[in-house]
Amino acid sequence: MQIGWCTISCRFNQEEGVGDTHNSYAYDGNRVRKWNVTTTNYGKAWAAGDIVSCLIDLDDGTLSFCLNGVSLGTAFENLSRGLGMAYFPAISLSFKESVAFNFGSRPLRYPVAGYRPLQDPPSADLVRAQRLLGCFRAVLSVELDPVEGRLLDKESSKWRLRGQPTVLLTLAHIFHHFAPLLRKVYLVEAVLMSFLLGIVEKGTPTQAQSVVHQVLDLLWLFMEDYEVQDCLKQLMMSLLRLYRFSPIVPDLGLQIHYLRLTIAILRHEKSRKFLLSNVLFDVLRSVVFFYIKSPLRVEEAGLQELIPTTWWPHCSSREGKESTEMKEETAEERLRRRAYERGCQRLRKRIEVVEELQVQILKLLLDNKDDNGGEASRYIFLTKFRKFLQENASGRGNMPMLCPPEYMVCFLHRLISALRYYWDEYKASNPHASFSEEAYIPPQVFYNGKVDYFDLQRLGGLLSHLRKTLKDDLASKANIVIDPLELQSTAMDDLDEDEEPAPAMAQRPMQALAVGGPLPLPRPGWLSSPTLGRANRFLSTAAVSLMTPRRPLSTSEKVKVRTLSVEQRTREDIEGSHWNEGLLLGRPPEEPEQPLTENSLLEVLDGAVMMYNLSVHQQLGKMVGVSDDVNEYAMALRDTEDKLRRCPKRRKDILAELTKSQKVFSEKLDHLSRRLAWVHATVYSQEKMLDIYWLLRVCLRTIEHGDRTGSLFAFMPEFYLSVAINSYSALKNYFGPVHSMEELPGDGTIQAEAEAEKGSLV
């Protein structure tokens, strides 16, 4: 990426971009160079989320750049000027690179004295909006004495609107002029956002919540709905930009303030439902609020102050195994390691504050008790969440992921925390329900059509194929009859599938097999799935043939079902009613009658499993690269130190080169060890490991319960087996050496069995 300025006479092509022609000038923070036909070193390295200011002074004929508000110095001098010369912003991008420009339509994050944005701010409207805000604050800070009828000052923490006619009339007059201004992006960010952030920064969370709630009440009261909606949309978009592009500071204070304001806004029920229905997933597709970006420049992030002493493992080889050649840890190394661990602990505590705020946001979005005057937030969330998953699933292998994998990892962990909170809360008030530790997805969710899996592969093939070949089993075992219209609309791909001949199916004996037992009988056709083929030795519950035929449930009325899209479903379709089991429709006789938890939480859990399969596992493997880099540099440093000890003192030239290399490797390890502390805190902490372990156990229980349904096991989506395999692999290979599987709770049965079974895959 090269960004800068050019004249209208510049001609660019696939080979030449900004900075490659005579009157174009560019800065490239990736290669840390400046370009104007020739190139020289300039500036600092940039990272995703940084803000670059491009400054041009046509009086002095100079061009310079700033990175996150810090000047990088003059880049070019003696620019061509004169009659007919005009410069325009310009950028050259490589494949998959992206950038967002702000020419002045929004307040500049880092304004520079003496320079103006290309687009002048709306100065007149800005003055009016600030004056109206002052009037608004003045009205809220006074109240009428009920006895003497005079105005009294009121503490901001006790702001309340008591329906006083004088106050209401005054506010109505203010909003008559204020409302049109609050629809403009610049004014929302410069005036309203600054006002609300000031409230959050100066008051306690309770006080801030009270004031923000009252402000939002007044917006909905005195403004037209379309005006409030435009205002809230711009407000939330501004919050997202501020959070996403904020620099990482030692106490993460900026991120905390933005998240606290987001929570205060989302606690307002009417505003939350509007944002959830129209903004949070429709516009903010990257779920940015749940991401904590990793700093590439540890100095600016304050990691040197948090972790003054660095350390790296001295007993790891390239294969990650202990080296027998290394000496035992010395007293000095032990002290360094403990000091490093204390620094890592300080970092974890600060990150946990941000993570807890992010979990609070998801708890608000998963609230199902706010159904006064409309649909509860949780069911709006489910609709948007399912579409979010569908968009990302359909983009696999074809187009760039709509949600970056690093965002998906953070989103998954926060979602698991919020999900388990509500799951255990439901258990507290319903003794017959299950704890989240015992969670799984009941098998009927996979075949009753209440949850859309958007053509994802099932263990037995495509859904349309399974509904044709197993329709009799659905009727006899689950009392479900497939809508004939769906059977007629079989996809062309399904028509080409090889089906097992009917006589062969009729001749195949039915037999119940013990879990983990051998497969002496011919495999059913639906067991030909590639994923199941790989997993049948890894998971004993996957090595199952058809169960003993069960007595048809003649006493129950059979239900006709068809797949519902997320937009078609109602709360009753999910939670059920006195005559409808909702997501649990078609319960097989092997499943308990008492529900595990609320049906809506089951769907959230199902989505979490799918998220892991989409991109989380891939990202977990990618982040291990930081540990690998540390190991490689540590080995290089040890080799260099060994050579220094063996090098003759008379070879001063070699000693100088080795000393220089030693310094380079040590500095690089200092940098990487601090980055590794950040990665361990945000991606590979013990809490994150327990989340993945919990997801693994969910998948194992789900597979086990699906196994008991016999042929209906074929309806299970393949990704459940993939997640079971991959999550175990992640626990074994990605979280060491800081954490190991021996630290996981329980008796270790799952780990031991999974290890034994996976060994037989070879």
Side-chain angles (χ1 to χ4, degrees):
M1 181 187 300
Q2 294 174 197
I3 185 171
W5 301 84
C6 73
T7 65
I8 199 171
S9 62
C10 294
R11 295 293 180 264
F12 304 124
N13 53 44
Q14 294 290 339
E15 302 299 327
E16 293 184 340
V18 182
D20 298 325
T21 60
H22 180 64
N23 285 324
S24 65
Y25 306 85
Y27 159 51
D28 184 342
N30 186 36
R31 290 175 283 186
V32 197
R33 303 182 74 83
K34 62 181 180 179
W35 301 75
N36 175 232
V37 182
T38 60
T39 178
T40 55
N41 294 331
Y42 174 79
K44 296 181 179 179
W46 61 32
D50 284 343
I51 296 178
V52 180
S53 304
C54 305
L55 312 175
I56 187 168
D57 187 338
L58 294 179
D59 294 327
D60 294 338
T62 60
L63 197 154
S64 57
F65 297 90
C66 298
L67 186 63
N68 295 324
V70 179
S71 176
L72 301 178
T74 300
F76 303 99
E77 298 177 328
N78 302 318
L79 301 184
S80 298
R81 291 167 289 170
L83 187 64
M85 292 292 295
Y87 288 89
F88 301 88
I91 188 169
S92 300
L93 297 171
S94 298
F95 182 62
K96 290 187 177 181
E97 289 183 334
S98 62
V99 64
F101 281 103
N102 178 15
F103 298 123
S105 62
R106 305 185 308 273
L108 297 179
R109 180 71 65 85
Y110 302 109
V112 179
Y115 290 85
R116 292 168 50 191
L118 289 178
Q119 180 178 339
D120 285 333
S123 302
D125 286 343
L126 185 59
V127 171
R128 290 182 60 208
Q130 289 171 339
R131 288 178 177 174
L132 289 167
L133 177 65
C135 296
F136 176 64
R137 297 180 64 174
V139 172
L140 290 181
S141 63
V142 299
E143 63 182 346
L144 284 172
D145 185 288
V147 178
E148 301 183 11
R150 60 188 180 89
L151 293 175
L152 300 175
D153 288 335
K154 178 170 56 173
E155 294 182 13
S156 59
S157 61
K158 298 179 180 179
W159 284 1
R160 291 290 185 275
L161 187 63
R162 305 179 183 276
Q164 300 161 347
T166 304
V167 174
L168 292 174
L169 288 172
T170 305
L171 288 172
H173 182 69
I174 292 173
F175 274 99
H176 176 72
H177 300 279
F178 203 13
L181 299 176
L182 291 181
R183 298 182 63 197
K184 299 182 178 181
V185 178
Y186 194 101
L187 300 180
V188 168
E189 191 164 325
V191 179
L192 183 60
M193 173 72 74
S194 299
F195 168 58
L196 296 177
L197 279 175
I199 293 172
V200 170
E201 293 170 3
K202 295 175 184 177
T204 65
T206 303
Q207 292 173 335
Q209 175 58 45
S210 174
V211 177
V212 172
H213 194 280
Q214 183 179 9
V215 170
L216 292 173
D217 276 344
L218 294 175
L219 293 181
W220 285 102
L221 178 62
F222 291 104
M223 296 171 64
E224 297 291 340
D225 283 355
Y226 70 90
E227 293 175 326
V228 186
Q229 292 167 3
D230 284 349
C231 177
L232 284 175
K233 179 179 178 180
Q234 299 301 338
L235 184 63
M236 193 57 61
M237 292 295 288
S238 297
L239 264 176
L240 176 138
R241 283 191 294 266
L242 288 171
Y243 179 81
R244 182 179 183 183
F245 296 113
S246 293
I248 299 294
V249 295
D251 62 352
L252 299 173
L254 295 173
Q255 287 77 9
I256 289 173
H257 287 318
Y258 301 143
L259 289 174
R260 283 180 58 192
L261 177 54
T262 303
I263 291 171
I265 293 172
L266 292 178
R267 287 191 186 280
H268 188 269
E269 181 179 326
K270 191 172 183 178
S271 301
R272 175 173 69 249
K273 290 183 178 180
F274 164 74
L275 292 170
L276 191 50
S277 299
N278 302 281
V279 179
L280 289 177
F281 281 95
D282 292 351
V283 179
L284 313 183
R285 297 180 186 273
S286 297
V287 290
V288 176
F289 283 123
F290 308 114
Y291 177 55
I292 303 177
K293 64 181 180 182
S294 177
L296 294 182
R297 294 179 295 274
V298 298
E299 298 84 2
E300 295 177 17
L303 295 186
Q304 287 180 324
E305 290 76 19
L306 276 176
I307 310 174
T309 303
T310 58
W311 172 86
W312 47 88
H314 289 274
C315 58
S316 295
S317 67
R318 293 182 187 274
E319 290 75 22
K321 300 177 182 178
E322 292 189 355
S323 173
T324 56
E325 299 178 1
M326 295 303 299
K327 299 178 181 179
E328 294 185 1
E329 187 179 48
T330 64
E332 181 182 356
E333 290 172 343
R334 184 162 50 252
L335 290 174
R336 284 188 61 190
R337 175 175 56 81
R338 290 175 179 174
Y340 176 74
E341 290 173 348
R342 287 193 296 271
C344 293
Q345 184 63 28
R346 288 192 293 269
L347 176 62
R348 277 196 295 271
K349 288 181 178 179
R350 296 189 179 187
I351 290 176
E352 285 170 0
V353 175
V354 176
E355 292 177 342
E356 178 55 34
L357 293 173
Q358 294 170 331
V359 172
Q360 287 184 36
I361 291 176
L362 274 171
K363 286 180 181 178
L364 290 169
L365 301 184
L366 289 174
D367 185 6
N368 69 334
K369 298 180 175 63
D370 58 347
D371 54 356
N372 299 323
E375 196 171 16
S377 296
R378 181 182 298 177
Y379 304 102
I380 304 174
F381 175 86
L382 281 177
T383 299
K384 299 296 181 180
F385 182 47
R386 208 71 195 177
K387 292 183 69 175
F388 168 83
L389 293 173
Q390 182 176 7
E391 290 170 348
N392 284 274
S394 62
R396 297 187 68 199
N398 299 320
M399 62 184 72
M401 297 289 289
L402 293 175
C403 179
E406 60 270 23
Y407 289 32
M408 195 79 88
V409 172
C410 295
F411 186 23
L412 174 67
H413 287 297
R414 311 304 176 263
L415 185 63
I416 288 176
S417 297
L419 169 62
R420 297 191 67 176
Y421 167 82
Y422 277 113
W423 193 299
D424 291 331
E425 182 185 65
Y426 181 81
K427 166 64 178 177
S429 57
N430 296 270
H432 297 292
S434 300
F435 287 106
S436 62
E437 277 295 331
E438 304 163 350
Y440 69 93
I441 302 297
Q444 59 266 42
V445 173
F446 304 133
Y447 56 71
N448 63 18
K450 297 292 186 179
V451 177
D452 185 5
Y453 288 99
F454 16 91
D455 296 327
L456 291 178
Q457 189 79 0
R458 309 298 182 101
L459 292 180
L462 293 176
L463 179 63
S464 55
H465 166 75
L466 293 175
R467 285 183 164 177
K468 286 197 313 178
T469 57
L470 297 177
K471 61 179 184 294
D472 293 337
D473 290 343
L474 283 172
S476 62
K477 298 176 182 180
N479 292 315
I480 284 181
V481 177
I482 303 300
D483 191 326
L485 294 177
E486 290 206 354
L487 293 178
Q488 293 174 7
S489 61
T490 304
M492 293 303 296
D493 291 341
D494 189 32
L495 294 177
D496 296 333
E497 289 187 357
D498 294 327
E499 297 181 9
E500 188 178 14
M505 294 189 66
Q507 295 171 7
R508 182 173 59 216
M510 298 292 189
Q511 177 178 343
L513 297 180
V515 170
L519 285 173
L521 301 178
R523 290 167 57 87
W526 59 267
L527 277 175
S528 61
S529 159
T531 303
L532 186 56
R534 290 189 299 108
N536 61 6
R537 297 290 297 171
F538 168 60
L539 298 169
S540 57
T541 51
V544 177
S545 88
L546 301 180
M547 304 291 285
T548 303
R550 305 176 180 88
R551 179 178 57 84
L553 303 179
S554 55
T555 56
S556 301
E557 181 181 356
K558 290 181 170 51
V559 181
K560 182 186 294 184
V561 301
R562 63 192 309 251
T563 303
L564 297 175
S565 66
V566 290
E567 295 87 355
Q568 293 174 317
R569 296 187 310 170
T570 64
R571 176 171 183 166
E572 190 175 279
D573 289 319
I574 300 172
E575 300 291 5
S577 61
H578 64 283
W579 56 271
N580 174 17
E581 292 184 283
L583 288 188
L584 300 183
L585 178 70
R587 180 180 60 85
E590 297 81 10
E591 282 297 295
E593 295 184 11
Q594 188 66 31
L596 297 172
T597 186
E598 295 170 285
N599 292 354
S600 52
L601 296 181
L602 291 174
E603 184 170 341
V604 176
L605 176 57
D606 177 77
V609 176
M610 190 184 299
M611 282 175 63
Y612 187 91
N613 184 63
L614 289 176
S615 59
V616 170
H617 182 74
Q618 174 188 2
Q619 182 66 15
L620 289 178
K622 180 180 177 181
M623 296 303 292
V624 174
V626 180
S627 296
D628 294 339
D629 290 344
V630 170
N631 289 334
E632 290 181 4
Y633 276 98
M635 290 183 64
L637 178 62
R638 291 198 299 272
D639 292 343
T640 303
E641 291 172 344
D642 289 340
K643 292 176 182 178
L644 273 172
R645 285 192 293 269
R646 298 195 306 267
C647 182
K649 294 184 178 180
R650 66 178 183 276
R651 296 302 304 269
K652 295 183 179 180
D653 55 338
I654 298 178
L655 286 172
E657 288 297 323
L658 290 174
T659 302
K660 182 179 178 181
S661 298
Q662 181 188 32
K663 180 181 179 182
V664 170
F665 291 144
S666 296
E667 290 177 351
K668 188 67 175 179
L669 279 168
D670 285 341
H671 172 85
L672 285 175
S673 65
R674 293 187 175 101
R675 272 205 69 201
L676 187 62
W678 186 280
V679 172
H680 280 158
T682 56
V683 181
Y684 298 120
S685 68
Q686 186 175 28
E687 293 76 17
K688 311 299 186 300
M689 187 180 188
L690 291 174
D691 285 345
I692 304 302
Y693 179 57
W694 180 75
L695 214 56
L696 166 62
R697 299 185 68 177
V698 166
C699 291
L700 292 176
R701 291 192 199 93
T702 300
I703 294 169
E704 182 181 359
H705 282 262
D707 155 48
R708 297 172 186 170
T709 64
S711 59
L712 299 186
F713 186 32
F715 284 93
M716 180 177 291
E718 276 193 353
F719 66 77
Y720 272 85
L721 289 179
S722 299
V723 171
I725 296 171
N726 290 333
S727 59
Y728 170 77
S729 176
L731 291 170
K732 181 182 178 183
N733 300 314
Y734 296 162
F735 286 84
V738 178
H739 303 291
S740 66
M741 294 189 69
E742 286 71 20
E743 301 175 17
L744 297 173
D747 57 6
T749 304
I750 289 181
Q751 299 97 291
E753 290 180 354
E755 179 70 29
E757 294 294 342
K758 191 173 183 182
S760 62
L761 271 172
V762 181

